[in-house]
């Protein structure tokens, strides 16, 4: 299904900008709900503000995230499901998670904790972008589910301590290259948590550098949300899937076709069938991808 936005919708984006941010509030590990900020690297003063420069070290774990450490590294079993939970202002039932105008994908990465996120160490374990069948973005789904997203950890990764990096890319200003106009560009909401994986296997998935996997012109980083589109190219490497020989990984989704970097061109559908469907706790999804608020029947 193709989607197009009106001028009125675009103006709503500007109106919602001032109160539109989000941050990783808390985790649930092996069914145990952690308190806000527990296992998560300390927040900066403006904890819900985005990173926009993909060449900055702030893109690794958020502003100041590589220079800080969590107060504890929380245990979790390999192959189990963790629940990450974002909020806009605070952990409350009335919190709106992230503004409806800030449509975009969600991704989760892991890296050995001892690396502190430096070098070719990050492997992707989850991604969800745009569902053309329902005209729904991952941001719609987490808004409908109180900020919560279930993510399965690979069952065969080595036991040990890891960083878990959560990322939302808000695309409401991504029609413009940040390197050309720093007042606009994609907004990355990034945080890192620390977990200790037990009952693991022997796999060491191929890693990639963050910063390094994205350019400001990478398809999916630059994207015109207000044009007609029927797909979205999720940026970054392919999702790691447990199994023999799968630790080799694939290169990031970087296109060499100049037309793919045109923010007005229709992106190519991400059709990687290896990505497992996430569990959004059976939330009924919105079928309206416009920036105007939808009447969600199940939140």
């Amino acid at each position: 299904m193709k989607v197009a936005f009106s001028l009125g919708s675009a103006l709503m984006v500007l109106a919602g900008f001032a109160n539109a941010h989000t941050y990783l509030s808390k985790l649930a590990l092996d069914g145990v709900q952690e308190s806000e900020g527990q296992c998560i690297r300390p927040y900066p003063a403006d904890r819900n503000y985005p990173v926009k420069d993909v060449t900055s070290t702030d893109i690794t774990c958020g502003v100041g995230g590589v220079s800080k450490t969590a107060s504890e590294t929380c245990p979790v079993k390999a192959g189990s499901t963790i629940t990450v939970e974002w909020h806009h202002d605070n952990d409350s039932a009335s919190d709106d998670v992230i503004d409806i105008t800030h449509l975009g994908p969600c991704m989760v990465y892991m890296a050995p904790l001892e690396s502190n996120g430096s070098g070719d160490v990050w492997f992707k374990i989850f991604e969800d972008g745009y569902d053309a069948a329902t005209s729904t973005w991952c941001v719609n789904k987490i808004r409908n589910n109180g900020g919560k997203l279930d993510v399965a950890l690979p069952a065969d990764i080595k036991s040990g301590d890891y960083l878990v990096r959560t990322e939302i890319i808000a695309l409401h200003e991504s029609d413009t290259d940040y390197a050309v106009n720093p007042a606009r560009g994609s907004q990355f909401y990034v945080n890192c948590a620390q977990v200790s994986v037990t009952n693991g296997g022997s796999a060491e998935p191929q890693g990639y550098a963050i910063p390094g996997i994205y350019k400001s012109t990478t398809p999916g980083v630059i994207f015109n949300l207000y044009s007609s589109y029927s797909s979205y190219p999720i940026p970054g490497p392919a999702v790691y899937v447990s199994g023999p020989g799968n630790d080799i990984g694939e290169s990031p989704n970087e296109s060499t076709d100049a037309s793919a970097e045109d923010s007005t061109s229709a992106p190519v559908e991400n059709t990687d069938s290896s990505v497992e469907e996430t569990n959004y706790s059976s939330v009924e999804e919105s079928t309206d991808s416009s920036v105007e608020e939808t009447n969600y029947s199940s939140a």
Side-chain angles (χ1 to χ4, degrees), residues 58-77:
D58 288 339
I59 202 72
T60 307
C61 284
V63 176
V66 295
S67 62
K68 302 173 182 178
T69 187
S71 59
E72 61 183 303
T73 301
C74 299
V76 63
K77 293 178 182 178

Side-chain angles (χ1 to χ4, degrees), residues 86-293:
W86 287 277
H87 284 291
H88 174 182
D89 290 317
N90 52 62
D91 174 21
S92 67
S94 61
D95 187 83
D96 64 351
V97 181
I98 184 172
D99 195 85
I100 186 60
T101 63
H102 283 34
L103 301 175
C106 315
M107 284 90 83
V108 180
Y109 292 80
M110 295 181 71
L113 179 59
E114 63 183 4
S115 72
N116 198 31
S118 178
D120 295 333
V121 294
W122 292 99
F123 56 97
K124 186 189 286 183
I125 65 168
F126 174 87
E127 65 180 24
D128 186 20
Y130 175 70
D131 182 352
T134 59
S135 301
T136 304
W137 289 89
C138 183
V139 163
N140 295 125
K141 295 175 183 179
I142 63 171
R143 278 176 52 84
N144 288 353
N145 200 30
K148 296 178 181 179
L149 175 69
D150 290 347
V151 178
L153 296 181
D156 59 354
I157 57 173
K158 281 188 171 182
S159 296
D161 295 340
Y162 288 87
L163 289 167
V164 175
R165 176 184 180 273
T166 60
E167 175 181 67
I168 292 173
I169 305 179
L171 301 172
H172 58 292
E173 295 183 334
S174 66
D175 58 326
T176 303
D177 182 352
Y178 169 82
V180 175
N181 180 5
R184 294 181 65 79
S186 289
Q187 296 183 2
F188 295 78
Y189 295 91
V190 181
N191 293 97
C192 285
Q194 296 179 192
V195 300
S196 183
V197 174
T198 61
N199 295 13
S202 59
E204 296 181 314
Q206 179 174 336
Y208 300 90
I210 303 176
I213 57 172
Y214 305 139
K215 297 178 182 177
S216 64
T217 55
T218 298
V221 173
I222 190 164
F223 182 82
N224 192 344
L225 192 63
Y226 312 111
S227 67
S228 178
Y229 61 88
S230 58
S231 60
Y232 170 77
I234 300 176
V239 170
Y240 172 74
V241 180
S242 298
N246 286 343
D247 57 345
I248 297 175
E250 296 182 20
S251 298
N253 301 325
E254 191 73 56
S255 173
T256 57
D257 183 354
S259 65
E261 297 188 357
D262 183 351
S263 64
T264 62
S265 62
V268 178
E269 182 81 51
N270 183 333
T271 57
D272 183 359
S273 62
S274 65
V275 180
E276 296 182 2
E277 183 67 31
T278 189
N279 175 11
Y280 289 98
S281 305
S282 300
V283 175
E284 182 177 344
E285 307 300 353
S286 164
T287 57
D288 181 4
S289 68
S290 72
V291 293
E292 297 183 5
E293 183 65 80

